[in-house]
Amino acid sequence: MRLTRSAGCSTSFIQTTASLGLFAALLIVIGVRTLVGEEAFAAWGWRIPFIVSIALLAVSLWIRMQLEESPVFQKMKDEGKTSKAPLTEAFGQWSNLKVVLIALFGAVVGQGVVFYTSQFYALFFLEKNLRVDGPTTNILIAIALLIATPAFIFFGWLSDKIGRKWIILTGCALAALTYMPLFHALSKAANPALYAAQANSPVTVVANPDECSVQFDPVGKNKFDSSSCDIAKSYLAKAGISYTNVIAPAGTVAQINIGGATIPVVNPAVVSGPEKAAAIKTFGTEVKTALTAVGYPEKADPAQINKPMVIAILVLLVLYVTMVYGPIAALLVELFPTRIRYTSMSLPYHIGNGWFGGFLPTAAFAMVAATGDIYYGLWYPILACAVTAVVGLVFLPETFRRSLHG
């Protein structure tokens, strides 16, 4: 009975396509921005990459239609041995459901948040929090992806030698231990003026916490302008400004303290409609002026960006992705019996990536807005990776010597 001695290396080539897809997307965005200019790109040019993707969608559908069943599964179909009720068998029997849950919390949750944090959240953090201009951010991320992507194949190959479990769990553990210092170092390297201003001229928000909502907005429709507290925190969080919360008694209109300046926030109870919108805009201008006066830069100075250091940090972050994502396909395939393999592995993979990973930016923003710490959102992936490392260490079996014929 043949063992899956090269499954890790073979499937790791497939895993590279996720990061290569992001790399290709960044190249297209960089090219469009260069061709049409930043002003036109912001106005209408951003639609061009989406239009181009229609052609890629057609190609992907064609590729999918050419795929055939694996020889093992095809043999089971020919012999009539496939499951008649795969959903019931996969999730209705504790012996299988237990493996599904172990796969979810002992492998895929950590893999999902590392994938999103190290690539997408790092891009968001550079551009929105650290105010590095879009083209530079795209180029830095693209360079890091180009350098680190071959490691998918290396860790896939290595998982055939020493096992999948330990590589994935090591990647999760390293991410949990180093995300916080790495993002601090990224801030210092990408925008040293902002890093210094936050240390030397801290910002405080004085507000009644009962008037502050949790700014969790998965669909991006909420403006968070129903209370003075929400207006203050939403503005600062979107601007990437760290702040300290100071509790005020009920009925107090929120205010922001920046250096020696105190700026009252718009009170939605006394203004509404266009008048409120105009007042919020004026408030934003006042905050921006006060921040500039104490040294907060409007955007990162390209001459001050330590690009080699930024790239080195981004490469390390992507290497974590290659550790957890390179061997994951082989691990999931080997965890489940052939008759219910596709059904069983789909649930942990899509929940781990789509829910735990996909909600990371939104959840992280809500955490930042609530606490005022631009790094606080990192606790989401840190805790998720820690849970995966512990659950995987205790419950996740090693699979690299298992047969695919089961």
Side-chain angles (χ1 to χ4, degrees), residues 50-334:
F50 289 95
I51 295 172
V52 172
S53 70
I54 295 174
L56 297 177
L57 175 61
V59 172
S60 65
L61 287 173
W62 178 82
I63 293 173
R64 177 65 185 90
M65 293 173 67
Q66 307 307 307
L67 294 178
E68 298 178 356
E69 299 287 1
S70 68
V72 175
F73 187 77
Q74 188 62 51
K75 183 173 183 293
M76 292 189 72
K77 283 183 67 176
D78 295 340
E79 296 174 351
K81 295 180 179 179
T82 56
S83 175
K84 305 302 181 184
L87 288 174
T88 302
E89 189 174 342
F91 309 127
Q93 298 178 12
W94 174 244
S95 58
N96 289 323
L97 179 59
K98 178 176 66 175
V99 180
V100 169
L101 293 175
I102 291 172
L104 174 61
F105 292 103
V108 188
V109 166
Q111 172 260 303
V113 298
V114 169
F115 185 89
Y116 277 85
T117 304
S118 295
Q119 296 181 142
F120 298 103
Y121 190 68
L123 188 152
F124 170 86
F125 192 84
L126 273 173
E127 186 169 356
K128 301 301 182 182
N129 287 33
L130 303 183
R131 307 179 192 178
V132 178
D133 64 89
T136 300
T137 296
N138 292 338
I139 291 170
L140 293 172
I141 294 286
I143 292 172
L145 289 171
L146 185 64
I147 294 171
T149 293
F152 280 108
I153 299 170
F154 170 75
F155 285 115
W157 167 83
L158 186 63
S159 76
D160 291 327
K161 307 300 179 183
I162 66 173
R164 332 285 188 208
K165 169 179 175 175
W166 297 111
I167 296 174
I168 293 171
L169 296 187
T170 298
C172 288
L174 287 173
L177 292 171
T178 62
Y179 268 159
M180 198 64 75
L182 282 176
F183 274 80
H184 273 275
L186 187 62
S187 298
K188 194 171 184 178
N191 196 339
L194 177 63
Y195 191 82
Q198 291 178 335
N200 300 326
S201 303
V203 176
T204 61
V205 173
V206 182
N208 174 21
D210 293 337
E211 297 179 1
C212 305
S213 60
V214 177
Q215 298 192 19
F216 183 76
D217 185 23
V219 296
K221 296 293 185 181
N222 199 327
K223 295 182 179 180
F224 297 108
D225 59 359
S226 59
S227 73
S228 59
C229 178
D230 284 351
I231 292 171
K233 291 189 173 186
S234 178
Y235 178 88
L236 293 173
K238 289 178 180 177
I241 304 297
S242 285
Y243 57 88
T244 302
N245 289 295
V246 177
I247 298 176
T252 302
V253 177
Q255 63 183 38
I256 296 177
N257 297 325
I258 305 171
T262 298
I263 304 169
V265 186
V266 177
N267 184 1
V270 298
V271 290
S272 61
E275 189 178 340
K276 182 172 77 171
I280 291 175
K281 184 176 180 180
T282 300
F283 160 75
T285 302
E286 292 174 354
V287 173
K288 184 178 178 180
T289 301
L291 288 170
T292 302
V294 295
Y296 283 81
E298 183 175 351
K299 57 179 63 176
D301 181 357
Q304 296 298 316
I305 299 174
N306 186 342
K307 293 180 181 177
M309 178 59 72
V310 170
I311 291 172
I313 294 169
L314 294 176
V315 167
L316 183 56
L317 292 175
V318 178
L319 285 176
Y320 292 164
V321 177
T322 65
M323 292 182 71
V324 300
Y325 198 58
I328 196 72
L331 173 81
L332 292 176
V333 167
E334 294 161 349

Side-chain angles (χ1 to χ4, degrees), residues 372-383:
D373 183 355
I374 63 171
Y375 305 102
Y376 196 80
L378 292 169
W379 283 110
Y380 179 102
I382 288 172
L383 291 175

